[in-house]
């Protein structure tokens, strides 16, 4: 078993694109087991941080796609390789409703 937390903060630079920073914390809660675990439980831990970019992709019939790319540099590791990793996520969901047009303010004096 393990415990894993991801966090990210981004700023939209256009209507459909955001850039920012992402990070994670991973801790292995139970030790390794089985015939290959000859050296014991060997629990691992890692902390990583890196850039991210996301794209909202308009699709047909009221759906939108979302593409996110994150790169993590491992800063602190224990019993795991220290490296870079990249995660790519793509999802499709119903599009956000279009906002209603604002009525102009009418003033009568």
């Amino acid at each position: 078993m393990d415990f894993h937390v991801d966090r990210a903060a981004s700023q939209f630079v256009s209507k459909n694109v955001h850039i920012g920073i992402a990070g994670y914390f991973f801790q292995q809660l139970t030790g390794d087991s089985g015939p290959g675990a000859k050296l014991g439980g060997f629990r691992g831990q890692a902390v990583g941080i890196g850039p991210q970019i996301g794209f909202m992709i308009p699709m047909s019939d009221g759906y939108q796609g979302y593409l996110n790319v994150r790169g993590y540099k491992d800063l602190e590791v224990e019993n795991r390789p220290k490296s870079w990793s990249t995660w790519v996520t793509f999802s499709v969901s119903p599009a956000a409703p279009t906002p209603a047009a604002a009525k102009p303010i009418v003033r009568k004096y």
Side-chain angles (χ1 to χ4, degrees), residues 21-34:
I21 190 166
Y24 78 94
F25 172 78
F26 168 85
Q27 176 148 15
Q28 187 176 345
L29 300 175
T30 58
D32 296 338
S33 62

Side-chain angles (χ1 to χ4, degrees), residues 74-88:
D74 291 329
L75 301 176
E76 188 67 38
V77 296
E78 180 180 320
N79 296 330
R80 294 174 57 87
K82 194 170 193 177
S83 66
W84 274 90
S85 60
T86 303
W87 292 84
V88 178

Side-chain angles (χ1 to χ4, degrees), residues 13 17 20 23 30 32 38-41 43 45 54-55 58 60 64 69 83-84 93 96:
V13 293
V17 178
T30 58
D32 296 338
K38 297 188 186 310
L39 299 176
R43 293 183 187 177
Q45 179 176 316
F55 304 92
S60 62
Q64 67 183 7
V69 179
S83 66
W84 274 90
S93 64

Side-chain angles (χ1 to χ4, degrees), residues 5-77:
V5 176
D6 280 295
R7 287 289 186 221
S10 293
Q11 177 69 44
F12 274 89
V13 293
S14 72
K15 181 180 175 185
N16 294 329
V17 178
H18 69 83
I19 58 173
I21 190 166
Y24 78 94
F25 172 78
F26 168 85
Q27 176 148 15
Q28 187 176 345
L29 300 175
T30 58
D32 296 338
S33 62
K38 297 188 186 310
L39 299 176
F42 216 63
R43 293 183 187 177
Q45 179 176 316
V47 176
I49 193 166
Q52 79 163 342
I53 187 166
F55 304 92
M56 304 295 275
I57 304 163
M59 301 174 85
S60 62
D61 297 330
Y63 287 91
Q64 67 183 7
Y66 175 68
L67 175 67
N68 182 268
V69 179
R70 294 179 180 194
Y72 295 111
K73 169 71 173 150
D74 291 329
L75 301 176
E76 188 67 38
V77 296

